[in-house]
Amino acid sequence: MHETFMISAFEGWNDASQAASEVIHYLIGHYESKLVHEINSDGYYDYQATRPMLCHITGRARIIWPHTSFYEIAVSPDQRILVQIAPEPNYHWKDYCREVLHVAQDYDVTHVVTLGSMYAACPHTRPLPVDISNATCACELDREYSGPIGITTVLDQMACNDGMKTTSMWVSIPKYMNTDMCAQGTLELVHGLSTVLGVALDTTDLQSKADAWKMKATAITACDDRLSSYITRLEHEYDLAQRARTIASLGAPQAEQLVKEAEAFLKRMEP
């Protein structure tokens, strides 16, 4: 069955280091795209929290209000997708999501993919973790998580209730690199999107930016002994977790050996 995708990202709480929203900007700039719809800001935003911007265009001042934009993008000769980009609304989330889904239905969307990024304890020297979860009904959403949610979770659940497939995709960003845009996080999400869409998205431009981000992170951490030690610990924990996943199905002896290695490492780290 042919699927029509809508990819959604929101600036703000769901967008650590702008890794998620930059996926949409990258797709709009890299592929043939056209603006097809907008949702005005009135009623959805606190302008003291999400301020309008003053821009000068062709010599004239113009106020740009927070708004939601939808673009149609040709990611391959035979596949077009709808993408949505907006600041996370401050008010009336249910009404807002209903309006978004009305647009999606007008474009015969069958599968909604929401993108997010969050700060976490992960090293920049390893692939940044990406969590991809799929649901076909509202009861399947966030079965293991309890806590605050963003607009992406509300949109996922309401899309499920409307009979759409949903995929939630989140990338983890090193919390010690929380001052810069994270091209590596954007790259990881685009790789995930390639899998979901079944289309090999071009990442040539993103790869060079991700390499530059890694080089900067390495330079920053090299000047801080405490941070370097912290990253060494994160690397070891990451590698242990990877090994655990690899040998989980191999039986008890290998798992027991991994536990011993982990205990020995933690003892060495004790003050």
Side-chain angles (χ1 to χ4, degrees):
M1 177 181 175
H2 175 73
E3 289 191 291
T4 303
F5 290 89
M6 182 176 75
I7 317 300
S8 298
F10 296 87
E11 300 158 355
W13 189 85
N14 313 270
D15 193 27
S17 291
Q18 301 175 50
S21 60
E22 277 301 302
V23 172
I24 305 300
H25 294 308
Y26 175 75
L27 294 175
I28 292 170
H30 193 77
Y31 292 95
E32 176 190 338
S33 62
K34 64 177 180 179
L35 180 66
V36 294
H37 192 80
E38 291 185 330
I39 295 176
N40 294 328
S41 58
D42 288 348
Y44 294 130
Y45 291 99
D46 175 354
Y47 294 136
Q48 290 182 320
T50 308
R51 290 187 176 273
M53 301 292 291
L54 181 65
C55 298
H56 291 273
I57 302 174
T58 63
R60 299 181 62 182
R62 179 184 174 190
I63 295 176
I64 308 297
W65 297 90
H67 63 283
T68 302
S69 298
F70 296 85
Y71 289 83
E72 187 179 33
I73 300 178
V75 294
S76 72
D78 57 355
Q79 184 166 2
R80 305 182 77 86
I81 62 173
L82 186 69
V83 301
Q84 172 203 356
I85 182 69
E88 184 180 54
N90 302 104
Y91 305 121
H92 308 301
W93 281 12
K94 290 186 288 186
D95 291 340
Y96 175 84
C97 288
R98 288 191 191 99
E99 194 165 353
V100 168
L101 292 174
H102 285 156
V103 176
Q105 290 163 358
D106 287 342
Y107 283 85
D108 298 321
V109 168
T110 59
H111 195 149
V112 175
V113 181
T114 55
L115 307 178
S117 52
M118 59 185 174
Y119 293 119
C122 58
H124 72 277
T125 53
R126 301 291 188 271
L128 300 184
V130 177
D131 179 69
I132 301 177
S133 59
N134 301 289
T136 55
C137 67
C139 63
E140 295 181 39
L141 291 168
D142 298 315
R143 287 174 294 178
E144 298 180 0
Y145 174 76
S146 297
I149 60 172
I151 190 72
T152 56
T153 303
V154 178
L155 182 60
D156 282 339
Q157 184 165 354
M158 292 181 66
C160 274
N161 291 341
D162 282 353
M164 299 179 186
K165 292 183 180 180
T166 66
T167 298
S168 175
M169 190 180 306
W170 285 76
V171 64
S172 295
I173 309 296
K175 59 185 179 182
Y176 56 85
M177 290 293 293
N178 61 359
T179 58
D180 293 316
M181 293 174 64
C182 182
Q184 182 64 41
T186 299
L187 178 63
E188 302 285 2
L189 287 174
V190 173
H191 284 323
L193 271 181
S194 292
T195 300
V196 172
L197 297 176
V199 174
L201 298 172
D202 182 21
T203 58
T204 305
D205 296 340
L206 272 178
Q207 186 63 62
S208 59
K209 293 180 180 179
D211 291 342
W213 177 85
K214 282 185 178 180
M215 290 178 61
K216 182 175 181 180
T218 299
I220 290 173
T221 57
C223 301
D224 189 325
D225 291 340
R226 291 183 62 184
L227 184 54
S228 295
S229 297
Y230 172 67
I231 293 172
T232 298
R233 180 181 185 126
L234 291 180
E235 289 172 338
H236 196 85
E237 291 173 350
Y238 185 101
D239 293 342
L240 284 175
Q242 287 294 101
R243 286 192 61 194
R245 282 188 284 269
T246 301
I247 69 174
S249 61
L250 298 181
Q254 291 90 342
E256 184 178 350
Q257 178 61 32
L258 185 64
V259 170
K260 290 179 180 178
E261 291 180 15
E263 290 175 343
F265 171 74
L266 293 174
K267 286 181 180 178
R268 291 197 303 270
M269 297 299 294
E270 290 177 356

